[in-house]
Amino acid sequence: MTAPKVADTTPEEGYERGLGSRQVQMIAIGGAIGVGLFLGAGANIAKAGPSLILMYALAGGIIFFIMRALGELLLYRPVSGSFAEYSREFLGPLFGYFTGWTYWLMWVVTGMAELTAAAIYVDYWFPSVPQWVTALVFMLVLFVANLISVKLFGEIEFWFSMVKVTALIGMIVIGLGVLTLGFSQAGDTASVSNLWAFDGFFPKGIGSSLMTLQGVMFAYLAVELVGVTAGESENPEKTLPKAINTLPWRIALFYVGALTVILCVVKWTQFAAGVSPFVKAFAVIGIPAGAAIVNFVVLTAALSSCNSGMYSTGRMLRTLADNGEAPKVFGRLSASKTPAIGITTSVVFMGIGVVLNYVVPEKAFGYVTSVATGAGIWTWLMILISHVLYRRAVKAGRLPASSFPAPGGAVCSWIAIVFLLFVTGLIAYDAESRISLYVMGVWAVVLGIGWMVLKARTPGIAERDEQVLEKVS
């Protein structure tokens, strides 16, 4: 296995620098607005009440630490499939192999979740259409789009994100209007006091609020997608720092801000699992066709994330193939410079989500989100640990410093690592979400067997090349 060169900023051979600044910015924004907020927040509000706002803010701060750690690594060496590459460099080939395949799993099951959510949203208009049919149609349409070119993916993602951003800002403005001017059917009951008037800010207790962190973290899955785009961005040195540095205000506005306004307009006791809090809020406000419009917006959010999943899985499989950790066929690019075989294989596995929608439509979303969260936590931990080891190497003079250092250095990464381990403990404690740890355990065994087979076939694959850690002159 050939080790990557120090500070190599060359894109992987064959990829097209087809993502402009406008598209990378919107991909970053879109990654922070997904089905976890639009659909999953309903169940979490029912569990935690208004204190969910605090949970989103807390988790958002940790996500910023993770993204700044990733940003420092990306500007040290921007590559497509970044997380697996950094794990391979700083922790060894085994961790690169595990991280690449686990990130692939995360997006496959996230794609299942998004297809499930999209089917639920369409049910709002067409209740007679089976969920699995809708999920299958959306999967095939996005699959074809991803095969055409990275530019088309970027353009679709740009407009999906534009719809989400515009709609969320509109919701916040309308909600503030209801609060300050008192118009709409909710005008008489809308009040900031709704945040504490019904059994307090922590109506179910602090313990119940903390238990929502696993669902909250799922809502933030995909913010790291901007790292996967590094190898296909036109100017990663400029676009990536800008995309990452805007994360705090995106979290403050789209998560904390939107939820605060909604919970002021509608008391938290009216929300329930399986119903988007945004759709519910507009229905209560009574704006003509408002709920249908919001339903369309959250549908685009689900399709946006599924679109991103197809993009990232194909790239990750190619990274694995380039390192001899996946069949070589996944390393091939089509005439349009897309990893078509990798995308196709991933979509076939996403089809399991369609089957789940047929077999257990009422439980499909919960199953896949818990598994996706487990895989996402592993990915984030690898980013953070790689960052800590990178900072040590820089301090020792073995590697060049990044042009985009994380504030607080390795300290913030350690804080984020402890937080993620705490969330993992919450997942283990909760009987419903514990299934994700069982699945991850089985997944680890499967990967372990695969690694032993790889070592038997290619003995040198497990050797760590120390070229990347040579002292910088």
Side-chain angles (χ1 to χ4, degrees):
M1 183 178 68
T2 303
K5 297 178 182 179
V6 175
D8 181 9
T9 57
T10 305
E12 290 172 290
E13 184 179 356
Y15 278 136
E16 177 186 6
R17 291 285 194 188
L19 296 176
S21 176
R22 168 180 66 93
Q23 293 167 325
V24 171
Q25 290 295 318
M26 273 300 176
I27 288 172
I29 292 174
I33 309 171
V35 69
L37 172 65
F38 283 123
L39 181 60
N44 287 326
I45 291 173
K47 291 178 182 177
S51 65
L52 183 65
I53 297 168
L54 181 60
M55 297 302 106
Y56 270 104
L58 174 62
I62 297 299
I63 290 297
F64 181 63
F65 291 165
I66 295 171
M67 289 304 294
R68 282 306 301 259
L70 176 59
E72 183 166 355
L73 291 169
L74 286 172
L75 270 293
Y76 147 66
R77 189 165 65 86
V79 289
S80 187
S82 56
F83 329 116
E85 285 300 313
Y86 301 136
S87 298
R88 185 174 291 108
E89 177 177 346
F90 297 105
L91 291 159
L94 174 61
F95 285 90
Y97 163 81
F98 261 80
T99 301
W101 277 110
T102 301
Y103 193 66
W104 174 83
L105 174 70
M106 188 199 88
W107 269 114
V108 166
V109 294
T110 298
M112 294 180 193
E114 307 299 357
L115 289 170
T116 300
I120 291 172
Y121 296 143
V122 170
D123 186 67
Y124 178 87
W125 295 296
F126 306 105
S128 61
V129 178
Q131 274 187 210
W132 71 269
V133 173
T134 308
L136 179 62
V137 170
F138 283 141
M139 183 179 74
L140 294 176
V141 170
L142 293 176
F143 168 57
V144 172
N146 265 272
L147 291 182
I148 295 176
S149 74
V150 68
K151 287 185 177 180
L152 180 60
F153 158 78
E155 203 59 33
I156 290 174
E157 202 55 34
F158 174 84
W159 289 107
F160 273 159
S161 294
M162 184 66 76
V163 169
K164 292 187 286 187
V165 169
T166 303
L168 272 177
I169 293 174
M171 290 181 214
I172 292 172
V173 170
I174 291 173
L176 290 174
V178 172
L179 286 169
T180 56
L181 303 177
F183 66 84
S184 89
Q185 296 176 13
D188 294 336
T189 57
S191 171
V192 176
S193 64
N194 283 341
L195 295 179
W196 60 81
F198 301 93
D199 298 323
F201 189 70
F202 292 92
K204 299 292 185 71
I206 295 178
S208 293
S209 299
L210 291 175
M211 289 303 295
T212 64
L213 280 174
Q214 50 190 310
V216 169
M217 294 308 289
F218 172 77
Y220 285 121
L221 289 183
V223 293
E224 75 292 323
L225 179 65
V226 68
V228 183
T229 69
E232 293 171 276
S233 302
E234 289 178 351
N235 191 349
E237 290 78 12
K238 285 188 176 181
T239 57
L240 296 179
K242 186 176 180 182
I244 291 170
N245 278 335
T246 56
L247 185 64
W249 73 258
R250 295 201 309 267
I251 289 173
L253 179 64
F254 298 133
Y255 279 90
V256 178
L259 280 175
T260 300
V261 169
I262 281 178
L263 288 171
C264 287
V265 172
V266 183
K267 59 184 180 180
W268 71 270
T269 53
Q270 295 189 37
F271 296 102
V275 179
S276 168
F278 296 88
V279 174
K280 176 66 176 179
F282 269 68
V284 172
I285 290 172
I287 297 177
I293 293 172
V294 177
N295 202 62
F296 169 75
V297 173
V298 295
L299 172 61
T300 65
L303 296 179
S304 166
S305 187
C306 188
N307 185 44
S308 297
M310 292 182 185
Y311 168 87
S312 60
T313 50
R315 273 69 185 173
M316 195 56 70
L317 284 180
R318 187 175 187 230
T319 296
L320 289 163
D322 287 344
N323 286 282
E325 297 163 354
K328 291 183 179 179
V329 68
F330 292 141
R332 298 177 187 172
L333 293 180
S334 66
S336 58
K337 298 183 179 180
T338 61
I341 297 175
I343 293 172
T344 303
T345 302
S346 301
V347 169
V348 169
F349 279 92
M350 285 183 190
I352 295 173
V354 176
V355 176
L356 285 174
N357 275 283
Y358 177 75
V359 179
V360 283
E362 71 285 350
K363 295 182 179 179
F365 186 76
Y367 284 161
V368 294
T369 54
S370 62
V371 175
T373 303
I377 287 175
W378 171 270
T379 301
W380 289 335
L381 282 171
M382 291 302 101
I383 292 171
L384 293 165
I385 295 171
S386 295
H387 177 248
V388 170
L389 295 176
Y390 166 70
R391 290 299 291 247
R392 287 181 185 174
V394 171
K395 191 173 182 179
R398 297 193 303 270
L399 288 178
S402 171
S403 61
F404 188 48
V411 174
C412 291
S413 288
W414 277 116
I415 293 172
I417 288 170
V418 171
F419 180 85
L420 291 178
L421 293 177
F422 173 68
V423 173
T424 303
L426 293 177
I427 293 174
Y429 180 77
D430 183 32
E432 290 186 5
S433 61
R434 198 179 301 149
I435 186 175
S436 67
L437 298 183
Y438 298 146
V439 172
M440 293 306 297
V442 173
W443 179 247
V445 171
V446 171
L447 289 183
I449 294 171
W451 183 249
M452 287 188 288
V453 173
L454 281 174
K455 283 203 301 181
R457 289 182 176 180
T458 315
I461 198 168
E463 295 176 8
R464 186 177 184 184
D465 194 324
E466 297 296 332
Q467 275 188 348
V468 293
L469 298 178
E470 290 179 356
K471 188 177 178 69
V472 177
S473 58

